[in-house]
Amino acid sequence: MNTEIERKFLVSAGTYRQLARESMCIQQAYLNKDAERTVRIRIANQQAWITVKGKSDASGLVRLEWEKEIAVEEAQSLLSLCLPKPILKTRFLVPYHDLEIVVDEFEKPKKMILAEVELPSEDTPFNPPEWLGKEVTGDPSYYNSKI
């Protein structure tokens, strides 16, 4: 099982769109949104995954994550079992130094723009670009499962 080390930010400017190397539409929904774990189904670019995420540590920076690619047809069937309020978003992949910033423009269930960067270790330095705004790492109201 992998450990996810991730910082999240609000986005203060649309500069990321010009910097993105790729964008994709994503549909996702949750089979489980328990406080100790979430189970998510995601479809993007004719690929699909099931993902289990554990509870974040006290800082909100680190949590266990398990993900497996599944057939799109299976994912579509599983979506029918998911909890209400599926998420629809457009994801932009933005190279930044040796990292990649992921910017999600949420359409449903509410409009919002969030950015996240996965780090190789907890002590990896990260100097955010000027188009990122307030850091919201560890604020549960910005978890996809809470949107």
Side-chain angles (χ1 to χ4, degrees):
M1 188 169 306
N2 294 325
T3 300
E4 176 183 63
I5 303 166
E6 177 180 85
R7 291 177 64 183
K8 285 191 175 203
F9 298 84
L10 298 178
V11 177
S12 59
T15 311
Y16 64 90
R17 286 176 161 261
Q18 293 80 29
L19 301 171
R21 68 169 175 80
E22 181 182 350
S23 67
M24 66 193 77
C25 293
I26 294 176
Q27 176 184 12
Q28 71 184 42
Y30 289 84
L31 289 165
N32 181 336
K33 290 185 180 184
D34 183 271
E36 297 295 316
R37 75 205 51 80
T38 60
V39 181
R40 174 186 73 205
I41 304 300
R42 176 180 282 170
I43 301 174
N45 289 351
Q46 297 306 308
Q47 290 182 283
W49 299 266
I50 183 169
T51 306
V52 179
K53 291 189 178 198
K55 185 177 180 178
S56 295
D57 68 359
S59 71
L61 183 66
V62 180
R63 64 181 165 178
L64 292 176
E65 177 183 69
W66 175 86
E67 185 169 75
K68 180 175 172 74
E69 188 168 353
I70 60 176
V72 172
E73 298 78 20
E74 290 175 332
Q76 289 168 334
S77 293
L78 287 168
L79 286 174
S80 68
L81 298 175
C82 286
L83 298 167
K85 296 186 181 178
I87 293 173
L88 295 176
K89 61 187 177 181
T90 301
R91 171 165 285 178
F92 296 85
L93 305 178
V94 182
Y96 185 70
H97 302 296
D98 294 335
L99 301 169
E100 182 169 70
I101 300 173
V102 173
V103 180
D104 288 335
E105 292 181 359
F106 290 83
E107 292 296 318
K108 280 186 170 182
K110 65 181 180 179
K111 292 192 178 281
M112 179 174 32
I113 303 174
L114 283 177
E116 57 189 45
V117 59
E118 286 196 26
L119 303 171
S121 69
E122 291 180 63
D123 58 353
T124 300
F126 178 69
N127 186 22
E130 70 285 344
W131 49 268
L132 287 182
K134 176 184 172 190
E135 184 166 1
V136 294
T137 301
D139 183 339
S141 60
Y142 291 102
Y143 294 172
N144 275 228
S145 61
K146 302 288 185 185
I147 294 174

